[in-house]
Amino acid sequence: MDSVNILAPAKINWTLDILSVDERGYHLLDMLMQRITLYDTIKIKTGGEGINLKTNLKWLPVDERNTAFLSAKLFYEATGIDKGCEIFIKKVIPSGAGLAGGSADAAAVLKGLNSLYDYPLSDMELSDLALKIGADVPFMLKGGLYRAQGIGEKLTKLRAPKQIPLLLIMPKRQTASTKKVYTTYDEIGSKQKPETDKFLDALYNLNYENMRLFGGNVLTESANTVAPSIDDNIKRLQDAGAEFVSMTGSGSVVFGVFKSIEQAMEQRKNFNDCWSCICQTTPSGIRFKEEV
């Protein structure tokens, strides 16, 4: 086998809390992250010289500024394999959204290359490489629902809830810079504070009242300062009948939980001015084509 096709799913944050800042200046987190059925598609083919990366979006960088390229570079360095590859990414997950699309692509490239070269790296070695790329990347090697702590690298696998219908929305011309959102958080803090253990119990029981009571993302206020449409979109989803609404990551995607896909589809027509997506939570992670 000299090529693989991979589906790389996005994620949402059910909760995101910041506990402290360490001596390096890193924010120490406590959050619940869940994979969803929104995918980038990646094809990797071995051969040629060096790393040749292409995407369907002309404005995306195709060098080390792209996490997928960096993944391939680190993989070859770690394994000592003196070969090349071609990577094509069909981007569907929007950038600057809090959905970890870049991290999903990076993790998919690590897994794909490891498969193509008959698994020279263990799962632990892959995780170590993933952390060098970004704090979300170790989780993006996984599937389902995890509690992430530290800077995101301390992962605890949790029982994934049943598929939950979601409507995701984001302004078409406004994204949130992660760096700016965290800098703003350091300046203004947050009035909301999720209670992760209580939220998890509510999630398992789909107790929407307690999900609203114990959920939340401490970056929401700072993200709304950077991208002022976020509070408005939260209210719009609430007015549309979503049972629980929150922002994912550092924004600027806001998602709403609905009781059915049909209800989410019916409400989606109210968001024609936004990028929007209907999907579900999933217990799956990265999937190779033969598993699709």
mmCIF file of all heavy atoms in Angstrom, residues 236-276:
data_model
loop_
_atom_site.group_PDB
_atom_site.id
_atom_site.type_symbol
_atom_site.label_atom_id
_atom_site.label_comp_id
_atom_site.label_asym_id
_atom_site.label_seq_id
_atom_site.Cartn_x
_atom_site.Cartn_y
_atom_site.Cartn_z
ATOM 1 N N ARG A 236 -28.850 34.093 19.498
ATOM 2 C CA ARG A 236 -29.650 33.654 18.344
ATOM 3 C C ARG A 236 -29.927 32.157 18.399
ATOM 4 O O ARG A 236 -31.032 31.706 18.086
ATOM 5 C CB ARG A 236 -28.931 34.018 17.036
ATOM 6 C CG ARG A 236 -28.904 35.500 16.737
ATOM 7 C CD ARG A 236 -28.105 35.792 15.469
ATOM 8 N NE ARG A 236 -28.780 35.291 14.282
ATOM 9 C CZ ARG A 236 -28.249 35.304 13.059
ATOM 10 N NH1 ARG A 236 -27.009 35.767 12.886
ATOM 11 N NH2 ARG A 236 -28.923 34.848 12.025
ATOM 12 N N LEU A 237 -28.925 31.373 18.798
ATOM 13 C CA LEU A 237 -29.145 29.928 18.915
ATOM 14 C C LEU A 237 -30.100 29.617 20.069
ATOM 15 O O LEU A 237 -30.938 28.704 19.962
ATOM 16 C CB LEU A 237 -27.818 29.206 19.110
ATOM 17 C CG LEU A 237 -27.026 28.918 17.842
ATOM 18 C CD1 LEU A 237 -25.633 28.391 18.190
ATOM 19 C CD2 LEU A 237 -27.748 27.916 16.946
ATOM 20 N N GLN A 238 -29.977 30.347 21.154
ATOM 21 C CA GLN A 238 -30.921 30.154 22.261
ATOM 22 C C GLN A 238 -32.339 30.477 21.818
ATOM 23 O O GLN A 238 -33.287 29.725 22.109
ATOM 24 C CB GLN A 238 -30.511 31.031 23.452
ATOM 25 C CG GLN A 238 -29.227 30.585 24.131
ATOM 26 C CD GLN A 238 -28.692 31.601 25.123
ATOM 27 O OE1 GLN A 238 -29.016 32.799 25.043
ATOM 28 N NE2 GLN A 238 -27.863 31.151 26.056
ATOM 29 N N ASP A 239 -32.499 31.581 21.089
ATOM 30 C CA ASP A 239 -33.823 31.965 20.593
ATOM 31 C C ASP A 239 -34.362 30.964 19.583
ATOM 32 O O ASP A 239 -35.584 30.825 19.413
ATOM 33 C CB ASP A 239 -33.767 33.353 19.952
ATOM 34 C CG ASP A 239 -33.524 34.464 20.962
ATOM 35 O OD1 ASP A 239 -33.692 34.204 22.172
ATOM 36 O OD2 ASP A 239 -33.153 35.579 20.549
ATOM 37 N N ALA A 240 -33.445 30.235 18.903
ATOM 38 C CA ALA A 240 -33.855 29.222 17.919
ATOM 39 C C ALA A 240 -34.269 27.914 18.582
ATOM 40 O O ALA A 240 -34.667 26.973 17.883
ATOM 41 C CB ALA A 240 -32.721 28.974 16.928
ATOM 42 N N GLY A 241 -34.159 27.848 19.896
ATOM 43 C CA GLY A 241 -34.633 26.665 20.605
ATOM 44 C C GLY A 241 -33.560 25.664 20.987
ATOM 45 O O GLY A 241 -33.888 24.552 21.423
ATOM 46 N N ALA A 242 -32.290 26.034 20.849
ATOM 47 C CA ALA A 242 -31.222 25.122 21.251
ATOM 48 C C ALA A 242 -31.304 24.870 22.755
ATOM 49 O O ALA A 242 -31.554 25.778 23.541
ATOM 50 C CB ALA A 242 -29.859 25.697 20.883
ATOM 51 N N GLU A 243 -31.093 23.616 23.144
ATOM 52 C CA GLU A 243 -31.201 23.230 24.546
ATOM 53 C C GLU A 243 -29.969 23.650 25.349
ATOM 54 O O GLU A 243 -30.059 23.896 26.553
ATOM 55 C CB GLU A 243 -31.383 21.714 24.653
ATOM 56 C CG GLU A 243 -32.590 21.166 23.912
ATOM 57 C CD GLU A 243 -33.906 21.622 24.514
ATOM 58 O OE1 GLU A 243 -33.912 22.062 25.680
ATOM 59 O OE2 GLU A 243 -34.936 21.549 23.811
ATOM 60 N N PHE A 244 -28.842 23.698 24.700
ATOM 61 C CA PHE A 244 -27.598 24.136 25.336
ATOM 62 C C PHE A 244 -26.772 24.824 24.268
ATOM 63 O O PHE A 244 -26.668 24.334 23.138
ATOM 64 C CB PHE A 244 -26.821 22.944 25.914
ATOM 65 C CG PHE A 244 -25.446 23.298 26.410
ATOM 66 C CD1 PHE A 244 -25.279 23.957 27.617
ATOM 67 C CD2 PHE A 244 -24.309 22.979 25.673
ATOM 68 C CE1 PHE A 244 -24.002 24.289 28.075
ATOM 69 C CE2 PHE A 244 -23.029 23.294 26.126
ATOM 70 C CZ PHE A 244 -22.885 23.959 27.333
ATOM 71 N N VAL A 245 -26.172 25.960 24.603
ATOM 72 C CA VAL A 245 -25.378 26.734 23.641
ATOM 73 C C VAL A 245 -24.047 27.099 24.292
ATOM 74 O O VAL A 245 -24.005 27.498 25.462
ATOM 75 C CB VAL A 245 -26.114 28.022 23.210
ATOM 76 C CG1 VAL A 245 -25.270 28.786 22.194
ATOM 77 C CG2 VAL A 245 -27.483 27.700 22.634
ATOM 78 N N SER A 246 -22.967 26.967 23.530
ATOM 79 C CA SER A 246 -21.663 27.369 24.035
ATOM 80 C C SER A 246 -20.734 27.674 22.872
ATOM 81 O O SER A 246 -21.023 27.330 21.719
ATOM 82 C CB SER A 246 -21.054 26.272 24.918
ATOM 83 O OG SER A 246 -19.911 26.748 25.605
ATOM 84 N N MET A 247 -19.627 28.301 23.187
ATOM 85 C CA MET A 247 -18.564 28.534 22.215
ATOM 86 C C MET A 247 -17.546 27.402 22.340
ATOM 87 O O MET A 247 -17.281 26.910 23.434
ATOM 88 C CB MET A 247 -17.891 29.874 22.484
ATOM 89 C CG MET A 247 -16.809 30.271 21.483
ATOM 90 S SD MET A 247 -15.955 31.799 21.959
ATOM 91 C CE MET A 247 -14.838 31.178 23.219
ATOM 92 N N THR A 248 -16.958 27.000 21.227
ATOM 93 C CA THR A 248 -15.929 25.981 21.264
ATOM 94 C C THR A 248 -14.534 26.599 21.181
ATOM 95 O O THR A 248 -14.325 27.582 20.452
ATOM 96 C CB THR A 248 -16.102 24.948 20.131
ATOM 97 O OG1 THR A 248 -15.077 23.945 20.255
ATOM 98 C CG2 THR A 248 -16.043 25.579 18.768
ATOM 99 N N GLY A 249 -13.596 26.038 21.952
ATOM 100 C CA GLY A 249 -12.221 26.514 21.929
ATOM 101 C C GLY A 249 -12.128 27.990 22.247
ATOM 102 O O GLY A 249 -12.802 28.505 23.148
ATOM 103 N N SER A 250 -11.313 28.703 21.472
ATOM 104 C CA SER A 250 -11.188 30.150 21.627
ATOM 105 C C SER A 250 -12.067 30.890 20.613
ATOM 106 O O SER A 250 -11.885 32.074 20.379
ATOM 107 C CB SER A 250 -9.725 30.569 21.459
ATOM 108 O OG SER A 250 -9.208 30.141 20.217
ATOM 109 N N GLY A 251 -13.041 30.166 20.014
ATOM 110 C CA GLY A 251 -13.969 30.763 19.069
ATOM 111 C C GLY A 251 -13.393 30.764 17.655
ATOM 112 O O GLY A 251 -12.277 30.336 17.418
ATOM 113 N N SER A 252 -14.210 31.188 16.668
ATOM 114 C CA SER A 252 -15.449 31.902 16.933
ATOM 115 C C SER A 252 -16.719 31.099 16.609
ATOM 116 O O SER A 252 -17.795 31.660 16.476
ATOM 117 C CB SER A 252 -15.458 33.190 16.118
ATOM 118 O OG SER A 252 -15.272 32.909 14.739
ATOM 119 N N VAL A 253 -16.591 29.755 16.504
ATOM 120 C CA VAL A 253 -17.791 28.940 16.310
ATOM 121 C C VAL A 253 -18.561 28.819 17.619
ATOM 122 O O VAL A 253 -17.988 28.586 18.682
ATOM 123 C CB VAL A 253 -17.440 27.545 15.767
ATOM 124 C CG1 VAL A 253 -18.568 26.551 16.010
ATOM 125 C CG2 VAL A 253 -17.159 27.611 14.272
ATOM 126 N N VAL A 254 -19.876 28.987 17.502
ATOM 127 C CA VAL A 254 -20.816 28.747 18.590
ATOM 128 C C VAL A 254 -21.694 27.582 18.153
ATOM 129 O O VAL A 254 -22.094 27.497 16.990
ATOM 130 C CB VAL A 254 -21.661 30.009 18.874
ATOM 131 C CG1 VAL A 254 -22.750 29.714 19.873
ATOM 132 C CG2 VAL A 254 -20.769 31.144 19.357
ATOM 133 N N PHE A 255 -21.972 26.672 19.082
ATOM 134 C CA PHE A 255 -22.801 25.514 18.728
ATOM 135 C C PHE A 255 -24.008 25.409 19.645
ATOM 136 O O PHE A 255 -23.964 25.822 20.809
ATOM 137 C CB PHE A 255 -21.983 24.216 18.771
ATOM 138 C CG PHE A 255 -21.506 23.824 20.146
ATOM 139 C CD1 PHE A 255 -22.276 23.004 20.973
ATOM 140 C CD2 PHE A 255 -20.280 24.272 20.624
ATOM 141 C CE1 PHE A 255 -21.828 22.639 22.237
ATOM 142 C CE2 PHE A 255 -19.818 23.918 21.883
ATOM 143 C CZ PHE A 255 -20.607 23.100 22.700
ATOM 144 N N GLY A 256 -25.077 24.850 19.095
ATOM 145 C CA GLY A 256 -26.283 24.605 19.864
ATOM 146 C C GLY A 256 -26.673 23.146 19.805
ATOM 147 O O GLY A 256 -26.550 22.503 18.758
ATOM 148 N N VAL A 257 -27.122 22.617 20.927
ATOM 149 C CA VAL A 257 -27.612 21.237 21.017
ATOM 150 C C VAL A 257 -29.110 21.236 20.752
ATOM 151 O O VAL A 257 -29.855 22.015 21.354
ATOM 152 C CB VAL A 257 -27.328 20.651 22.415
ATOM 153 C CG1 VAL A 257 -28.023 19.306 22.591
ATOM 154 C CG2 VAL A 257 -25.828 20.514 22.642
ATOM 155 N N PHE A 258 -29.535 20.362 19.847
ATOM 156 C CA PHE A 258 -30.961 20.212 19.545
ATOM 157 C C PHE A 258 -31.409 18.782 19.827
ATOM 158 O O PHE A 258 -30.577 17.864 19.894
ATOM 159 C CB PHE A 258 -31.244 20.590 18.089
ATOM 160 C CG PHE A 258 -31.150 22.072 17.829
ATOM 161 C CD1 PHE A 258 -29.928 22.677 17.572
ATOM 162 C CD2 PHE A 258 -32.292 22.859 17.881
ATOM 163 C CE1 PHE A 258 -29.834 24.040 17.362
ATOM 164 C CE2 PHE A 258 -32.208 24.238 17.671
ATOM 165 C CZ PHE A 258 -30.984 24.829 17.407
ATOM 166 N N LYS A 259 -32.707 18.617 19.998
ATOM 167 C CA LYS A 259 -33.233 17.294 20.329
ATOM 168 C C LYS A 259 -33.234 16.357 19.135
ATOM 169 O O LYS A 259 -33.287 15.140 19.299
ATOM 170 C CB LYS A 259 -34.649 17.419 20.907
ATOM 171 C CG LYS A 259 -34.673 18.059 22.289
ATOM 172 C CD LYS A 259 -36.084 18.120 22.855
ATOM 173 C CE LYS A 259 -36.077 18.702 24.260
ATOM 174 N NZ LYS A 259 -37.448 18.819 24.820
ATOM 175 N N SER A 260 -33.187 16.907 17.919
ATOM 176 C CA SER A 260 -33.174 16.069 16.721
ATOM 177 C C SER A 260 -32.449 16.780 15.592
ATOM 178 O O SER A 260 -32.361 18.020 15.581
ATOM 179 C CB SER A 260 -34.606 15.734 16.278
ATOM 180 O OG SER A 260 -35.262 16.901 15.793
ATOM 181 N N ILE A 261 -31.951 15.994 14.653
ATOM 182 C CA ILE A 261 -31.331 16.561 13.453
ATOM 183 C C ILE A 261 -32.356 17.372 12.677
ATOM 184 O O ILE A 261 -32.045 18.441 12.126
ATOM 185 C CB ILE A 261 -30.754 15.439 12.570
ATOM 186 C CG1 ILE A 261 -29.478 14.874 13.203
ATOM 187 C CG2 ILE A 261 -30.463 15.941 11.166
ATOM 188 C CD1 ILE A 261 -28.295 15.817 13.182
ATOM 189 N N GLU A 262 -33.600 16.886 12.645
ATOM 190 C CA GLU A 262 -34.659 17.587 11.904
ATOM 191 C C GLU A 262 -34.902 18.978 12.473
ATOM 192 O O GLU A 262 -35.095 19.944 11.724
ATOM 193 C CB GLU A 262 -35.954 16.757 11.940
ATOM 194 C CG GLU A 262 -35.901 15.460 11.170
ATOM 195 C CD GLU A 262 -35.095 14.367 11.856
ATOM 196 O OE1 GLU A 262 -34.879 14.465 13.095
ATOM 197 O OE2 GLU A 262 -34.686 13.401 11.163
ATOM 198 N N GLN A 263 -34.898 19.092 13.789
ATOM 199 C CA GLN A 263 -35.089 20.401 14.418
ATOM 200 C C GLN A 263 -33.925 21.328 14.078
ATOM 201 O O GLN A 263 -34.129 22.514 13.779
ATOM 202 C CB GLN A 263 -35.214 20.244 15.935
ATOM 203 C CG GLN A 263 -35.521 21.563 16.645
ATOM 204 C CD GLN A 263 -35.516 21.438 18.156
ATOM 205 O OE1 GLN A 263 -35.124 20.406 18.704
ATOM 206 N NE2 GLN A 263 -35.940 22.483 18.849
ATOM 207 N N ALA A 264 -32.709 20.789 14.107
ATOM 208 C CA ALA A 264 -31.536 21.598 13.761
ATOM 209 C C ALA A 264 -31.609 22.062 12.316
ATOM 210 O O ALA A 264 -31.284 23.216 11.999
ATOM 211 C CB ALA A 264 -30.267 20.787 14.007
ATOM 212 N N MET A 265 -32.028 21.166 11.420
ATOM 213 C CA MET A 265 -32.153 21.520 10.006
ATOM 214 C C MET A 265 -33.200 22.605 9.806
ATOM 215 O O MET A 265 -33.022 23.520 8.999
ATOM 216 C CB MET A 265 -32.496 20.275 9.191
ATOM 217 C CG MET A 265 -31.370 19.265 9.104
ATOM 218 S SD MET A 265 -31.837 17.758 8.213
ATOM 219 C CE MET A 265 -32.128 18.441 6.574
ATOM 220 N N GLU A 266 -34.276 22.515 10.540
ATOM 221 C CA GLU A 266 -35.343 23.511 10.416
ATOM 222 C C GLU A 266 -34.847 24.893 10.855
ATOM 223 O O GLU A 266 -35.164 25.911 10.237
ATOM 224 C CB GLU A 266 -36.542 23.084 11.260
ATOM 225 C CG GLU A 266 -37.674 24.106 11.339
ATOM 226 C CD GLU A 266 -38.342 24.370 9.994
ATOM 227 O OE1 GLU A 266 -38.261 23.499 9.089
ATOM 228 O OE2 GLU A 266 -38.947 25.460 9.846
ATOM 229 N N GLN A 267 -34.044 24.927 11.903
ATOM 230 C CA GLN A 267 -33.562 26.204 12.429
ATOM 231 C C GLN A 267 -32.395 26.774 11.625
ATOM 232 O O GLN A 267 -32.145 27.980 11.668
ATOM 233 C CB GLN A 267 -33.157 26.048 13.896
ATOM 234 C CG GLN A 267 -34.319 25.763 14.823
ATOM 235 C CD GLN A 267 -35.384 26.854 14.761
ATOM 236 O OE1 GLN A 267 -35.080 28.043 14.688
ATOM 237 N NE2 GLN A 267 -36.649 26.441 14.799
ATOM 238 N N ARG A 268 -31.707 25.923 10.886
ATOM 239 C CA ARG A 268 -30.522 26.379 10.147
ATOM 240 C C ARG A 268 -30.875 27.489 9.158
ATOM 241 O O ARG A 268 -30.049 28.379 8.893
ATOM 242 C CB ARG A 268 -29.892 25.203 9.400
ATOM 243 C CG ARG A 268 -28.581 25.548 8.713
ATOM 244 C CD ARG A 268 -28.046 24.358 7.946
ATOM 245 N NE ARG A 268 -26.699 24.591 7.437
ATOM 246 C CZ ARG A 268 -26.030 23.723 6.698
ATOM 247 N NH1 ARG A 268 -26.568 22.549 6.383
ATOM 248 N NH2 ARG A 268 -24.812 24.024 6.269
ATOM 249 N N LYS A 269 -32.087 27.484 8.632
ATOM 250 C CA LYS A 269 -32.490 28.492 7.641
ATOM 251 C C LYS A 269 -32.470 29.907 8.219
ATOM 252 O O LYS A 269 -32.468 30.893 7.473
ATOM 253 C CB LYS A 269 -33.878 28.166 7.100
ATOM 254 C CG LYS A 269 -34.993 28.252 8.129
ATOM 255 C CD LYS A 269 -36.327 27.777 7.565
ATOM 256 C CE LYS A 269 -37.434 27.868 8.599
ATOM 257 N NZ LYS A 269 -38.723 27.316 8.066
ATOM 258 N N ASN A 270 -32.449 30.022 9.558
ATOM 259 C CA ASN A 270 -32.404 31.339 10.197
ATOM 260 C C ASN A 270 -30.992 31.917 10.268
ATOM 261 O O ASN A 270 -30.800 33.017 10.792
ATOM 262 C CB ASN A 270 -32.973 31.244 11.616
ATOM 263 C CG ASN A 270 -34.438 30.862 11.624
ATOM 264 O OD1 ASN A 270 -35.220 31.375 10.816
ATOM 265 N ND2 ASN A 270 -34.818 29.970 12.522
ATOM 266 N N PHE A 271 -30.021 31.163 9.740
ATOM 267 C CA PHE A 271 -28.627 31.576 9.852
ATOM 268 C C PHE A 271 -27.956 31.638 8.481
ATOM 269 O O PHE A 271 -26.781 31.295 8.342
ATOM 270 C CB PHE A 271 -27.879 30.620 10.790
ATOM 271 C CG PHE A 271 -28.425 30.608 12.186
ATOM 272 C CD1 PHE A 271 -29.361 29.661 12.570
ATOM 273 C CD2 PHE A 271 -28.034 31.567 13.105
ATOM 274 C CE1 PHE A 271 -29.873 29.648 13.854
ATOM 275 C CE2 PHE A 271 -28.544 31.569 14.390
ATOM 276 C CZ PHE A 271 -29.477 30.604 14.769
ATOM 277 N N ASN A 272 -28.684 32.106 7.499
ATOM 278 C CA ASN A 272 -28.124 32.209 6.145
ATOM 279 C C ASN A 272 -27.012 33.237 6.034
ATOM 280 O O ASN A 272 -26.230 33.216 5.082
ATOM 281 C CB ASN A 272 -29.235 32.547 5.141
ATOM 282 C CG ASN A 272 -30.207 31.398 4.939
ATOM 283 O OD1 ASN A 272 -29.839 30.236 5.092
ATOM 284 N ND2 ASN A 272 -31.460 31.706 4.616
ATOM 285 N N ASP A 273 -26.933 34.134 7.011
ATOM 286 C CA ASP A 273 -25.870 35.143 7.001
ATOM 287 C C ASP A 273 -24.567 34.614 7.596
ATOM 288 O O ASP A 273 -23.565 35.325 7.628
ATOM 289 C CB ASP A 273 -26.321 36.378 7.783
ATOM 290 C CG ASP A 273 -26.694 36.040 9.221
ATOM 291 O OD1 ASP A 273 -27.291 34.968 9.449
ATOM 292 O OD2 ASP A 273 -26.395 36.855 10.120
ATOM 293 N N CYS A 274 -24.580 33.382 8.081
ATOM 294 C CA CYS A 274 -23.422 32.785 8.745
ATOM 295 C C CYS A 274 -22.929 31.555 7.991
ATOM 296 O O CYS A 274 -23.660 30.964 7.200
ATOM 297 C CB CYS A 274 -23.793 32.329 10.172
ATOM 298 S SG CYS A 274 -24.339 33.622 11.283
ATOM 299 N N TRP A 275 -21.687 31.173 8.253
ATOM 300 C CA TRP A 275 -21.282 29.804 7.963
ATOM 301 C C TRP A 275 -22.012 28.924 8.958
ATOM 302 O O TRP A 275 -22.117 29.255 10.150
ATOM 303 C CB TRP A 275 -19.774 29.649 8.148
ATOM 304 C CG TRP A 275 -19.320 28.209 8.043
ATOM 305 C CD1 TRP A 275 -18.934 27.555 6.920
ATOM 306 C CD2 TRP A 275 -19.216 27.254 9.106
ATOM 307 N NE1 TRP A 275 -18.603 26.249 7.203
ATOM 308 C CE2 TRP A 275 -18.763 26.039 8.541
ATOM 309 C CE3 TRP A 275 -19.469 27.295 10.481
ATOM 310 C CZ2 TRP A 275 -18.562 24.878 9.299
ATOM 311 C CZ3 TRP A 275 -19.272 26.153 11.247
ATOM 312 C CH2 TRP A 275 -18.822 24.969 10.650
ATOM 313 N N SER A 276 -22.566 27.813 8.502
ATOM 314 C CA SER A 276 -23.278 26.931 9.419
ATOM 315 C C SER A 276 -23.058 25.482 9.029
ATOM 316 O O SER A 276 -22.709 25.165 7.880
ATOM 317 C CB SER A 276 -24.776 27.250 9.432
ATOM 318 O OG SER A 276 -25.370 26.955 8.164
#
